[in-house]
Amino acid sequence: MAVNFKLIGTTLVLAVGAFIGRGWRKEKVSAMGLSAKDIVIDKDTYSGVIIGGGPAGLTSAIYLAQAQYKPLLVEGKTPGGALTQSHAVHNWPGEKNISGAKLMEQIRDHALHTGAKIESEEVVSVDFSAWPYKLTVKSILSGKERGIKALACIVATGSIPNFLGVPGERGDDGYFGRGVSTCAVCDGIFYRGKIVAIVGGGDSAIVEAGYLSSLAKEVHILVRKEAFRAANGVKDRVLTLPNVKVHFNTEVQEIVGDGKKVTHAKIVNNKTNEESDLPIDGLFLAIGSHPNTAFFAGQIECDQNGYIILKKDQQTSKDGVLQPVMLQTQFINRR
Ligand code: NDP
């Protein structure tokens, strides 16, 4: 896997700093009508609380700690985030080949070294109706809950890719990380000259097919309906590429391998019920994802799919609640 995102930390530090700074200078926080003299700073009040212990959250912690904001990072159930599941990362600057778990351990160490506080807790609810913001966090180990307060918050909770739920996909006998992937930009490099399939008919499937076509020998797009959902302008170009083949009305029934790697997918045409084996080296899932934002419902503006709506400088609809930058999105949108 290759890491496909990076934080623009300076933006965060400046944005968090500007927000907190307004309070500490005892000026009115315009949106809230509050000033620092109205608030009680106790041991449970943090200048910056980062929600999420993946690369985005930890990088935010490094920048904020270096800028002397003494952040608290609530790392959630999966310290290091989804990247810890990756067996090999090939594009982290300075690391030619490193496991996701090792890389995240190093980044976590780095965050601690800069002075960030990291707690093995998860956020169960937030209350952004008054400043300082209130968060309820639960210990991963004991399940005990406690209340904390934050002058600023960074939301780095990530999103969870959707899976098919077919045999051979995940679990002990599954090939996730050994041929099954949810990120072409991350893992495509391992399929140079090989045969891959992408499941999905949305914009991600199209964009990832375009990317994979520059690496793989053959790219099969498996669409369950008889038409694409994708509206992306690059669709026409991608579909005329000589090594891209589309299979409409096609569903994956099982992902099969030799115990080490994927060898083929059992597919079925849902119109004719014809079953066949598609020889592949890799299967990419592009069937959507769901963001980890359920506990922000009613607190910050999200779209109908739960994605946070951002304003200028990564600001959410609440002053001082920010989201880190994901370069992947920018990269994909430019293709
Ligand atoms: P989408 O939800 O748009 O598309 C998901 C696709 O996966 C659909 O074709 C859907 O099929 C299919 N699918 C879902 N579940 C299954 C399943 N169990 N088996 C087989 N197929 C399945 O997700 P995307 O990730 O493509 O896009 C998410 C958002 O991001 C969209 O708004 C998109 O426009 C945007 N985006 C924009 C890009 C750009 O360059 N502008 C690039 C990438 C994404 P069906 O149609 O039958 O429901």
Side-chain angles (χ1 to χ4, degrees), residues 194-229:
K194 297 192 171 170
I195 303 173
V196 298
I198 300 177
V199 187
D203 283 320
S204 295
I206 287 292
V207 166
E208 301 212 338
Y211 177 70
L212 288 169
S213 70
S214 62
L215 298 163
K217 184 167 70 180
E218 282 175 37
V219 180
H220 298 267
I221 309 179
L222 311 179
V223 187
R224 69 178 172 184
K225 286 191 182 142
E226 56 192 6
F228 278 100
R229 186 196 286 203

Side-chain angles (χ1 to χ4, degrees), residues 134-316:
K134 291 193 187 88
L135 296 90
T136 304
V137 294
K138 184 167 93 176
S139 162
I140 302 295
L141 226 59
S142 69
K144 206 175 145 199
E145 292 189 5
R146 69 181 179 116
I148 57 171
K149 281 176 272 173
L151 303 189
C153 265
I154 290 178
V155 180
T157 47
S159 66
I160 302 170
N162 295 334
F163 285 84
L164 292 167
V166 297
E169 187 182 42
R170 288 197 290 177
D172 290 345
D173 301 330
Y175 288 93
F176 186 67
R178 301 185 294 159
V180 177
S181 168
T182 51
C183 179
V185 179
C186 314
D187 294 338
I189 193 75
F190 301 113
Y191 298 91
R192 200 181 281 280
K194 297 192 171 170
I195 303 173
V196 298
I198 300 177
V199 187
D203 283 320
S204 295
I206 287 292
V207 166
E208 301 212 338
Y211 177 70
L212 288 169
S213 70
S214 62
L215 298 163
K217 184 167 70 180
E218 282 175 37
V219 180
H220 298 267
I221 309 179
L222 311 179
V223 187
R224 69 178 172 184
K225 286 191 182 142
E226 56 192 6
F228 278 100
R229 186 196 286 203
N232 194 304
V234 298
K235 187 169 81 183
D236 295 341
R237 184 184 67 78
V238 169
L239 297 184
T240 53
L241 292 169
N243 60 343
V244 173
K245 184 174 178 202
V246 182
H247 306 248
F248 287 115
N249 299 115
T250 300
E251 293 178 35
V252 174
Q253 294 176 308
E254 187 177 350
I255 300 157
V256 186
D258 59 9
K260 287 187 178 158
K261 56 183 180 2
V262 169
T263 54
H264 61 279
K266 285 188 181 299
I267 56 173
V268 60
N269 181 306
N270 56 27
K271 259 195 157 171
T272 62
N273 289 328
E274 191 190 335
E275 296 180 356
S276 57
D277 286 347
L278 179 68
I280 48 168
D281 301 293
L283 184 88
F284 290 85
L285 303 175
I287 57 172
S289 61
H290 49 284
N292 286 319
T293 54
F295 57 85
F296 295 116
Q299 300 289 330
I300 46 179
E301 241 177 86
C302 294
D303 70 14
Q304 61 197 26
N305 298 317
Y307 287 96
I308 295 169
I309 297 170
L310 294 179
K311 301 189 290 183
K312 196 169 163 273
D313 291 338
Q314 300 305 113
Q315 282 281 352
T316 68

Side-chain angles (χ1 to χ4, degrees), residues 1-8 54-56 59 82-83 86 88-93 100 103-104 107 158-159 161 181-189 204 207-208 211 284-285 324-335:
M1 183 182 269
V3 178
N4 59 356
F5 51 90
K6 180 187 161 196
L7 278 173
I8 300 181
T59 312
L83 194 61
S86 173
V89 175
H90 285 203
N91 72 338
W92 189 264
L103 177 63
M104 292 319 301
I107 298 174
S159 66
S181 168
T182 51
C183 179
V185 179
C186 314
D187 294 338
I189 193 75
S204 295
V207 166
E208 301 212 338
Y211 177 70
F284 290 85
L285 303 175
V325 175
M326 301 274 285
L327 274 192
Q328 179 194 11
T329 318
Q330 296 180 341
F331 168 72
I332 284 175
N333 284 339
R334 272 203 301 272
R335 283 178 70 84

